[in-house]
Amino acid sequence: MEKKVAIIGGGVSGLGACKHILAKGFRPTVFESRSEVGGVWSKTVEICKLQSPKEYYRFSDFPWPDSVQTDYPTQKQVLDYIQSYAEHFGLLNHIKFNTRVVSLAYQGSSEDEMKAWSLWNGTGEPFSNKGKWNIIIENIETLVTEVHQFDFVILCSGMFSDVPNYPEFPPNKGPSAFHGKVIHSKDYSAMDHETVAKFVKGKRVTVVGFHKSALDIAMECSAINGAQHPCTVIYKNEHWHSFDHDVYGFSLQSIFLNRFSELFFHKPGEGLLGSLVATIFYPAVWAVSKIVESDLKRKIPMAKYGMVPKHSYLDELNTCTNGILPLDFYDRADEGSIVLKKSQKMNFCKEGLILDSGALVNADLVIFATGFRGDIKLKETFESSKFQDLMIGTSKDSVPLYRGIIHPQIPQMAVIGFLSSVGALYTAEMQSQWVAELFDGKFKVPSIRGMIDQMAEWDDAMKNKHAGKFYTRSCYMLLHIFYNDVLCKDMGWNPHRKKGFFAELFDTYGPTDYASPN
């Protein structure tokens, strides 16, 4: 009997999973709550652009069209590219749009039986005749609910949507104390530009946050209101943002994204020689980081506004928090339409926000661009409290997954797109290919104990050797080749994808290097 596979989410992760699963002869069903594919790219801030050069944000076997000349495409260009991919590979026929997954319930072995398993899913295989997933779905338009049963579920719901992350406030000092309006960047992005302009016009806007969404929203609000009603940006920490990925004429990709550079970083499971090389040559890596920082300080007037980070550029890469700065951002600060204020904590009062310095920021509208809780979204997908606890783990910084894909104690399920690297699409497609090869019987995962031990080893290495105190979530920015090597070896692929010794060592690695060999 044909195995039924459900994919939750029609963004880049879900589409990649659908394409590669189809190639193995399966007929997946994709549930997408929106009316179109694209995930977070279907609705963004108007001026939003790609954060990575497009050569690192693409599917391995589907090039960007020649009409897209810029290295950092706009939201519309990215969305068009994603939609073209879905159309080209015939994925749209497998997608149920406007369909929200309400919950997942596992039907099969009891909790006591699963505790006795030594192998994932009881047999070590992705499918089982004993277990099924019951998926409760709701049609967004009609509100009609249905229950569908599947043999395997792939969660591709994404880290950066749906469940907003808000700071915690003392009693009576949260948003309810404020007489103005409080929204999240999620709500802002859902509005079209005309609606945003009317909503923001003439208001004293405060944006909380200092990553991509915060910067883009501040730019839009400052363009609408100018210096007459400046947009205040409240941030906790400075960050090494840049206008592009060039450093003194060299691309950051050529510096950090090759096999040679990865020799100088500690890795999970490294041997004595690898550890010695990484330790001995760390000063060289530190020096390169300082060169990058000097170039950024040369090009961007960070010092003028006290915005030079206390941590290194290397630490920024280790947390996958480096981003592209809007070109005119500091020009807006110069003209007074953007005001920067640092504060570790803040409280609401009826007039606005009180910073930890005691200063009052008067506001009519506060926009939290403070990210999302993808871990909570995953947790709330499950009906079982046991699976909820397993998926959330012990820290909100990372979801506990073997290879960043499967939980050893949750059967017949994979998660794609919850690991940060050079590009979300790039990494998600590698994970999709791994799952497809697992379905095809090309390899088996270790025992449950073996997976748990490897996860602990990787987590310890990333926290204590690679990223140190700056490790905040599953980020493999500086070890993306190492991570892909591991997946390739699992799948039985040759991890060395270049032709020739020097190309293998010094050329940058990207999505096209990992097109399926089949």
Side-chain angles (χ1 to χ4, degrees):
M1 183 180 294
E2 182 178 307
K3 298 299 184 182
K4 296 177 65 178
V5 178
I7 299 172
I8 300 176
V12 294
S13 298
L15 293 176
C18 183
K19 187 261 184 184
H20 290 289
I21 298 304
L22 275 168
K24 296 299 183 181
F26 295 88
R27 304 281 296 176
T29 300
V30 181
F31 296 108
E32 170 53 52
S33 61
R34 298 177 176 86
S35 60
E36 60 182 348
V37 297
V40 295
W41 286 105
S42 62
K43 277 290 184 180
T44 69
V45 179
E46 180 82 5
I47 66 170
C48 181
K49 293 184 178 182
L50 198 60
Q51 288 283 282
S52 306
K54 67 177 186 291
E55 63 186 294
Y56 294 96
Y57 195 93
R58 55 160 289 180
F59 293 99
S60 61
D61 54 0
F62 193 71
W64 282 87
D66 293 337
S67 58
V68 180
Q69 296 293 311
T70 177
D71 284 337
Y72 303 96
T74 64
Q75 177 265 344
K76 185 180 185 308
Q77 290 173 319
V78 176
L79 186 59
D80 287 347
Y81 171 75
I82 295 170
Q83 291 174 337
S84 296
Y85 176 83
E87 292 169 2
H88 179 79
F89 289 104
L91 308 182
L92 297 177
N93 293 333
H94 299 273
I95 303 175
K96 292 185 178 294
F97 291 105
N98 298 309
T99 304
R100 182 176 73 92
V101 171
V102 178
S103 67
L104 301 175
Y106 181 72
Q107 178 182 314
S109 300
S110 67
E111 287 188 11
D112 287 338
E113 289 174 321
M114 286 190 281
K115 282 181 182 178
W117 288 350
S118 61
L119 299 175
W120 177 56
N121 200 24
T123 62
E125 303 288 343
F127 299 103
S128 169
N129 293 326
K130 295 182 178 179
K132 304 282 184 182
W133 282 100
N134 293 323
I135 302 182
I136 301 175
I137 62 170
E138 178 186 62
N139 185 290
I140 299 295
E141 297 172 326
T142 65
L143 302 182
V144 172
T145 60
E146 298 174 357
V147 180
H148 294 260
Q149 196 168 75
F150 290 88
D151 298 289
F152 199 96
V153 176
I154 306 176
L155 295 176
C156 302
S157 49
M159 292 190 289
F160 306 115
S161 62
D162 297 330
V163 181
N165 179 49
Y166 288 103
E168 294 182 358
F169 297 95
N172 303 317
K173 293 184 179 180
S176 61
F178 180 45
H179 286 189
K181 182 79 172 176
V182 178
I183 64 171
H184 190 269
S185 59
K186 170 179 177 285
D187 309 304
Y188 184 99
S189 299
M191 295 185 275
D192 59 43
H193 189 61
E194 184 178 343
T195 304
V196 163
K198 292 178 181 178
F199 182 62
V200 168
K201 186 68 175 176
K203 290 186 173 71
R204 297 168 297 177
V205 180
T206 293
V207 177
V208 180
F210 201 62
H211 289 302
K212 182 56 178 171
S213 293
L215 300 176
D216 285 346
I217 292 171
M219 288 294 288
E220 284 197 352
C221 292
S222 64
I224 293 167
N225 286 328
Q228 184 178 1
H229 297 290
C231 176
T232 300
V233 177
I234 299 176
Y235 63 95
K236 274 187 175 183
N237 299 298
E238 302 82 4
H239 290 281
W240 290 107
H241 297 311
S242 57
F243 294 137
D244 51 38
H245 287 89
D246 288 335
V247 178
Y248 291 116
F250 295 92
S251 73
L252 284 171
Q253 289 76 30
S254 66
I255 297 172
F256 288 111
L257 303 186
N258 57 63
R259 204 173 281 281
F260 179 73
S261 72
E262 285 200 6
L263 292 173
F264 304 146
F265 296 102
H266 288 287
K267 305 172 185 67
E270 66 186 358
L272 178 61
L273 180 59
S275 180
L276 283 173
V277 170
T279 301
I280 291 170
F281 286 96
Y282 180 79
V285 175
W286 178 86
V288 171
S289 178
K290 293 305 171 187
I291 291 171
V292 175
E293 293 167 24
S294 70
D295 188 54
L296 293 177
K297 288 186 283 188
R298 177 181 64 87
K299 293 188 292 189
I300 303 170
M302 295 181 282
K304 179 179 178 180
Y305 292 93
M307 298 299 292
V308 178
K310 294 179 176 62
H311 59 274
S312 71
Y313 184 76
L314 201 61
D315 293 328
E316 196 82 44
L317 292 180
N318 277 328
T319 57
C320 294
T321 53
N322 59 307
I324 297 296
L325 187 72
L327 273 176
D328 300 329
F329 185 81
Y330 282 102
D331 292 338
R332 299 284 176 86
D334 285 340
E335 72 183 22
S337 58
I338 287 180
V339 177
L340 299 166
K341 291 185 178 293
K342 183 174 183 176
S343 185
Q344 296 299 312
K345 295 181 180 180
M346 68 201 79
N347 296 318
F348 277 96
C349 63
K350 65 179 182 179
E351 295 88 2
L353 287 163
I354 300 174
L355 308 185
D356 53 14
S357 65
L360 170 65
V361 177
N362 289 291
D364 303 306
L365 170 64
V366 176
I367 304 172
F368 282 98
T370 45
F372 295 86
R373 290 298 303 272
D375 56 333
I376 296 296
K377 179 167 62 172
L378 279 184
K379 174 183 176 179
E380 293 177 347
T381 304
F382 294 96
E383 196 171 274
S384 162
S385 59
K386 174 67 173 179
F387 287 160
Q388 287 182 353
D389 293 340
L390 288 172
M391 187 58 77
I392 205 73
T394 58
S395 169
K396 73 175 184 179
D397 294 332
S398 63
V399 176
L401 301 170
Y402 174 74
R403 299 294 195 245
I405 303 171
I406 63 174
H407 194 292
Q409 295 166 286
I410 300 181
Q412 297 163 248
M413 175 170 287
V415 179
I416 292 175
F418 273 73
L419 188 149
S420 299
S421 183
V422 178
L425 192 161
Y426 175 14
T427 304
E429 189 181 16
M430 281 297 297
Q431 294 178 327
S432 295
Q433 294 186 97
W434 188 91
V435 172
E437 297 292 350
L438 179 66
F439 280 8
D440 203 32
K442 295 295 177 57
F443 69 97
K444 291 186 177 182
V445 296
S447 66
I448 291 174
R449 173 46 55 190
M451 287 193 282
I452 291 173
D453 288 346
Q454 283 193 41
M455 288 162 59
E457 179 186 0
W458 279 38
D459 199 45
D460 179 70
M462 295 299 289
K463 285 182 178 179
N464 299 318
K465 290 184 178 180
H466 181 71
K469 66 178 181 179
F470 291 95
Y471 174 73
T472 58
R473 62 173 182 262
S474 296
C475 172
Y476 285 80
M477 175 73 75
L478 296 173
L479 293 178
H480 85 286
I481 300 174
F482 161 78
Y483 176 71
N484 290 340
D485 282 354
V486 170
L487 299 189
C488 284
K489 291 174 184 176
D490 285 346
M491 295 185 286
W493 296 8
N494 183 358
H496 301 290
R497 317 294 289 178
K498 302 291 188 181
K499 294 181 179 179
F501 175 79
F502 289 103
E504 182 64 47
L505 197 58
F506 296 108
D507 282 2
T508 58
Y509 260 85
T512 55
D513 293 306
Y514 295 99
S516 173
N518 299 328

